[in-house]
Amino acid sequence: MRPSFIPHAITRSFCLCCAALAFADCSLSAVADDAFRPSLLLSLPDYANTPDAMALDSQGNVILSCPNFNDTTYSGVLLKIDRDNRMSIYFPAPVHPDTKRGAPMGLEFGPDGNLYYADNQYFSDKNYKSRLIRILVKDGQPVGSEVVVDGFKLSNAVRWKGQRIYVSDTFFDLADSPGESGIYSFHIDEFKGKPVMLQPEGRDSHLIARFKTIPNHRKDVAGSDGLAFDNEGRLVTGNFGDGVLSRMTLDDNGKVVKQEVISRKLSCVDGMVNDPRTGRIYIADSEKNAIQVLALDGNVTTLWENDDSDGAEGLLDQPCEPLIRGNDIIIANFDMPFPGLKNKAYDKHHTLSVIRLK
Ligand SMILES: [Ca+2]
Ligand SMILES: [Ca+2]
Ligand SMILES: [Ca+2]
């Protein structure tokens, strides 16, 4: 299938016109070309039918979360993919006592060597059932799990910086203010006793930033989704519904001292990852089947974009999160269509794509 991307010459001349306006709303200066055409990294079995997010462990294995929303005959699971792309089960996601399901999404290893992940129960029960779960890791192996925070609506992405963890919550579902979402921050020392119980409706003191998704062509009110720290230590996020990218400058206690919108060029933002070698943040654009790139100066470009695809050949099929492993960008394809996305159907190809940077 021929990828659809914006002709380079057209967007380049257009963007030069508005180059003087920092972070101005001009069309994407896309440079997508076949050099960055994704290929198939791995076809996943049916028990990994909705791959979501990835983290690298201390031995260089990819740990992949699979909430399995597309085919709930299979419970949520975390997989391990080694350097030779051999796959095995890492840990079955513990189920919620009420929903009887485990739904692992964003994940990252903490400074204690344990693995922390967002347990997204929102698609099973919208009544504050989502959690932050810690998988205890000993000698590189998972040995148990425990809930450390309870009471999110839709816990989504997870990022550590120092001793603090940051978790996005994509929906507040406030009756009088639709489209609100936020980011919570916790110090690792808070995870020593019983789980932290969040106050509902965005009223908890751990909330450090809130956002409001504006009306958009997909009529999607989903808010803060992916998270990444940039090379200057600032926290970046974007809304799934309207694609607005925001950036937070934090103090030593994880409080926001400055919050700013940095781009309105995108229409959908899912997971994101920073490449510290270049300061470029790679963003999964679920709507457009694209990988977008945010530079440190706020400029946004398109690395790759393709039309609807089942993903079997490695093309993007509702990409939801990228991970950098060496010179590869590994991309999980969620393939769970929402209204207005290019992805029109869940299909039987559950895939990870890869884009080679060099
Ligand atoms: Ca996500
Ligand atoms: Ca697919
Ligand atoms: Ca599909």
Side-chain angles (χ1 to χ4, degrees):
M1 187 175 300
R2 182 86 193 134
S4 64
F5 46 76
I6 306 161
H8 184 195
I10 295 171
T11 53
R12 184 177 169 80
S13 58
F14 180 57
C15 273
L16 284 174
C17 299
C18 55
L21 305 170
F23 311 144
D25 289 342
C26 57
S27 171
L28 282 175
S29 51
V31 290
D33 67 42
D34 265 4
F36 298 116
R37 185 183 184 86
S39 56
L40 185 67
L41 183 84
L42 205 56
S43 256
L44 300 166
D46 284 350
Y47 65 80
N49 58 70
T50 319
D52 184 66
M54 294 159 287
L56 282 174
D57 76 4
S58 57
Q59 293 124 46
N61 301 301
V62 175
I63 309 300
L64 170 70
S65 63
C66 300
N68 289 335
F69 298 126
N70 275 315
D71 183 350
T72 53
T73 4
Y74 300 96
S75 42
V77 68
L78 293 148
L79 302 179
K80 182 171 92 174
I81 297 158
D82 71 12
R83 291 164 180 268
D84 299 318
N85 299 324
R86 289 174 303 207
M87 195 200 75
S88 57
I89 290 180
Y90 180 73
F91 199 77
V95 301
H96 192 286
D98 297 339
T99 68
K100 314 293 187 215
R101 285 196 58 76
M105 299 256 288
L107 68 169
E108 196 162 73
F109 285 88
D112 56 357
N114 296 316
L115 179 60
Y116 292 74
Y117 75 82
D119 178 45
N120 166 20
Q121 297 288 336
Y122 190 79
F123 298 150
S124 302
D125 188 332
K126 293 183 166 53
N127 193 25
Y128 300 101
K129 303 285 186 187
S130 295
R131 310 177 291 180
L132 180 67
I133 288 179
R134 167 162 63 192
I135 294 182
L136 303 164
V137 178
K138 198 161 186 290
D139 302 324
Q141 300 300 320
V143 295
S145 67
E146 55 196 4
V147 177
V148 290
V149 185
D150 204 345
F152 297 98
K153 274 272 181 176
L154 193 168
S155 49
N156 196 325
V158 163
R159 291 290 176 218
W160 280 94
K161 185 166 193 291
Q163 302 295 303
R164 301 199 72 91
I165 190 170
Y166 298 81
V167 183
S168 58
D169 195 343
T170 308
F171 291 98
F172 284 176
D173 290 345
L174 305 177
D176 59 350
S177 183
E180 288 208 37
S181 64
I183 299 172
Y184 294 86
S185 170
F186 310 88
H187 192 280
I188 194 168
D189 288 348
E190 294 181 74
F191 302 154
K192 287 181 172 165
K194 287 183 179 169
V196 176
M197 282 298 308
L198 294 177
Q199 294 293 312
E201 299 178 334
R203 287 186 274 108
D204 195 273
S205 61
H206 293 89
L207 187 71
I208 58 156
R210 57 199 305 154
F211 311 92
K212 185 156 181 168
T213 298
I214 55 177
N216 54 78
H217 63 282
R218 301 200 319 277
K219 298 183 172 55
D220 188 335
V221 295
S224 175
D225 195 308
L227 298 175
F229 280 96
D230 72 13
N231 270 9
E232 295 181 16
R234 299 170 298 196
L235 182 58
V236 175
T237 192
N239 298 332
F240 188 90
D242 63 17
V244 173
L245 286 168
S246 297
R247 185 169 66 195
M248 279 68 60
T249 305
L250 307 170
D251 68 13
D252 291 341
N253 297 316
K255 298 292 182 209
V256 173
V257 294
K258 183 181 180 189
Q259 178 173 338
E260 56 194 326
V261 168
I262 48 171
S263 176
R264 299 182 189 275
K265 288 179 186 172
L266 302 179
S267 57
C268 179
V269 170
D270 203 320
M272 60 178 74
V273 66
N274 181 46
D275 184 348
R277 298 167 299 190
T278 59
R280 288 153 68 94
I281 291 178
Y282 294 93
I283 299 169
D285 180 337
S286 281
E287 178 187 319
K288 293 192 170 66
N289 284 343
I291 294 296
Q292 315 284 7
V293 186
L294 171 68
L296 259 180
D297 65 3
N299 193 35
V300 176
T301 51
T302 299
L303 185 72
W304 178 261
E305 179 175 343
N306 60 253
D307 291 334
D308 191 17
S309 163
D310 66 8
E313 307 295 321
L315 291 181
L316 305 183
D317 184 8
Q318 198 183 333
C320 57
E321 192 163 299
L323 173 83
I324 293 170
R325 182 179 69 176
N327 286 322
D328 290 347
I329 307 176
I330 301 174
I331 302 141
N333 294 295
F334 204 59
D335 195 9
M336 180 184 176
F338 305 123
L341 307 185
K342 275 187 179 176
N343 179 30
K344 292 301 175 227
Y346 164 62
D347 46 70
K348 291 302 284 177
H349 298 284
H350 329 303
T351 56
L352 299 181
S353 304
V354 60
I355 292 176
R356 317 260 180 221
L357 284 175
K358 286 176 189 170

